[in-house]
Amino acid sequence: MEAAVTTCYRHPSYETYVSCTRCERFICPDCMREAAVGHHCVECVKEGQRSVRQARTVFGGSVARTAVPIVTYVLIGLNIAAYLGELVRPGIIDRFAMLGAGLNGPDGEQYVYEAGDFPGFDVIGVVGGEWYRLLTGAFLHLPPGGSSLGSLPFGVLHILFNMYALWNLGRVVEEQLGRARYLALYLLSALGGSVLVHLIAPYTGTVGASGAIFGLGAAFYVINRRLGRDMRAVNRFMAGFLIWMLISAGFASWQGHLGGLLTGGIVTVAYAYAPAKRRTTVQAAACVVLFAVLVLLVVLKNSALTG
């Protein structure tokens, strides 16, 4: 009596006598996956991968997914793309820079904001409903020739310095936090920097990723402290960071730098010390609460400016 012919469960035309050691279905060489004992089929391998918990950092970031700093690459790409756009159309800066309050005159020029109704003048800036400026300004940089906002003494080095800092800090922070937490940190730091500009210097237009980068600097400090690393080199780095903030106050927005630094520190502390059992929930809640506080501060400032 002849033995029954067995075929692969995925490829019925393929005769085989090898079965999956887990589900016992017959499999052909294309469907075989090496296992500790025998072979597994494709479905059993996928099921096994789903049941294995991914290794995570103490902040909740997935170790496997942060090997390549994708978010850092994307952020650098967006900044560079925006800069190239500015070179082609310089008006982008005045249209999307961070500006709390200003007036556009009938002659097309910008004037200092004053509350009230001025025929022929249009209110611009955050107080005029252009809330997007709170984030778009963080992706713009002054071109070599400057703009109506003024110019930095080192021209194109503005974006080069910021992207160099983002490259060095971003990779380290993203590796520990994971993509979603890292992106939330970056955007909240950028927003926090813009909000402090709006609160203290609402009539001054600002651009640059510095606020977000100072937030990454604060995150770098908190991360190393939370991991119990030798803080001597980190303290020297932070000292240099703070000295640069003081020096750059003469030609850059110290309000944006300080706002980003404080916001980044608050967010990362929430990330670092959230209880493990409710880590994601607490971290997300902290970000939402901080975002709400920043929005409330903008609303209150707008109310004060408009009387």
Side-chain angles (χ1 to χ4, degrees), residues 55-72 168-179 181-182 220 223 227 229:
R56 294 188 175 276
T57 68
V58 296
F59 308 95
S62 172
V63 174
R65 296 185 61 188
T66 55
V68 179
I70 296 295
V71 178
T72 298
N168 282 286
L169 283 172
R171 290 179 297 165
V172 176
V173 176
E174 183 176 355
E175 179 183 15
Q176 291 296 327
L177 300 185
R179 294 170 185 171
R181 292 172 178 81
Y182 170 66
F220 178 73
I223 286 171
L227 295 176
R229 293 173 176 168

Side-chain angles (χ1 to χ4, degrees), residues 104-117:
N104 261 355
D107 56 358
E109 296 294 325
Q110 288 189 12
Y111 295 87
V112 176
Y113 172 80
E114 289 186 23
D117 185 19

Side-chain angles (χ1 to χ4, degrees), residues 111-298:
Y111 295 87
V112 176
Y113 172 80
E114 289 186 23
D117 185 19
F118 300 94
F121 287 80
D122 297 319
V123 178
I124 60 173
V126 178
V127 75
E130 298 173 342
W131 283 61
Y132 55 83
R133 290 177 179 265
L134 291 165
L135 278 182
T136 56
F139 289 90
L140 301 175
H141 293 81
L142 289 176
S147 74
S148 63
L149 300 180
S151 60
L152 291 174
F154 27 74
V156 72
L157 293 181
H158 183 208
I159 187 172
L160 293 180
F161 282 157
N162 278 346
M163 293 305 99
Y164 178 74
L166 176 54
W167 167 250
N168 282 286
L169 283 172
R171 290 179 297 165
V172 176
V173 176
E174 183 176 355
E175 179 183 15
Q176 291 296 327
L177 300 185
R179 294 170 185 171
R181 292 172 178 81
Y182 170 66
L183 181 60
L185 166 71
Y186 187 92
L187 294 178
L188 283 171
S189 297
L191 180 62
S194 295
V195 169
L196 195 60
V197 170
H198 188 46
L199 294 177
I200 298 177
Y203 311 126
T204 303
T206 62
V207 291
S210 302
I213 291 169
F214 269 80
L216 295 184
F220 178 73
Y221 178 84
V222 175
I223 286 171
N224 280 278
R225 194 169 188 83
R226 175 66 176 83
L227 295 176
R229 293 173 176 168
D230 187 347
M231 295 299 292
R232 287 175 294 183
V234 178
N235 289 336
R236 288 194 295 270
F237 165 79
M238 285 305 299
F241 225 53
L242 295 176
I243 291 172
W244 171 247
M245 184 171 69
L246 293 175
I247 294 174
S248 63
F251 51 82
S253 173
W254 65 267
Q255 299 93 342
H257 294 173
L258 180 60
L261 184 77
L262 295 175
T263 305
I266 292 171
V267 171
T268 314
V269 166
Y271 286 167
Y273 297 99
K277 291 185 178 180
R278 300 187 303 276
R279 181 170 53 198
T280 301
T281 301
V282 171
Q283 290 172 341
C287 290
V288 170
V289 170
L290 180 57
F291 176 78
V293 170
L294 293 175
V295 170
L296 178 61
L297 289 174
V298 173

Side-chain angles (χ1 to χ4, degrees), residues 69-126:
I70 296 295
V71 178
T72 298
Y73 291 152
V74 171
L75 290 172
I76 292 175
L78 288 174
N79 278 275
I80 293 175
Y83 190 73
L84 294 176
E86 296 169 22
L87 296 180
V88 177
R89 299 189 62 181
I92 289 177
I93 298 178
D94 295 330
R95 182 69 181 84
F96 294 99
M98 171 53 205
L99 178 65
L103 292 173
N104 261 355
D107 56 358
E109 296 294 325
Q110 288 189 12
Y111 295 87
V112 176
Y113 172 80
E114 289 186 23
D117 185 19
F118 300 94
F121 287 80
D122 297 319
V123 178
I124 60 173
V126 178

Side-chain angles (χ1 to χ4, degrees), residues 29-47:
D30 288 341
C31 301
M32 293 179 188
R33 300 295 184 269
E34 291 287 343
V37 178
H39 298 83
H40 286 173
C41 65
V42 176
E43 277 74 13
C44 286
V45 170
K46 290 181 179 178
E47 182 65 28

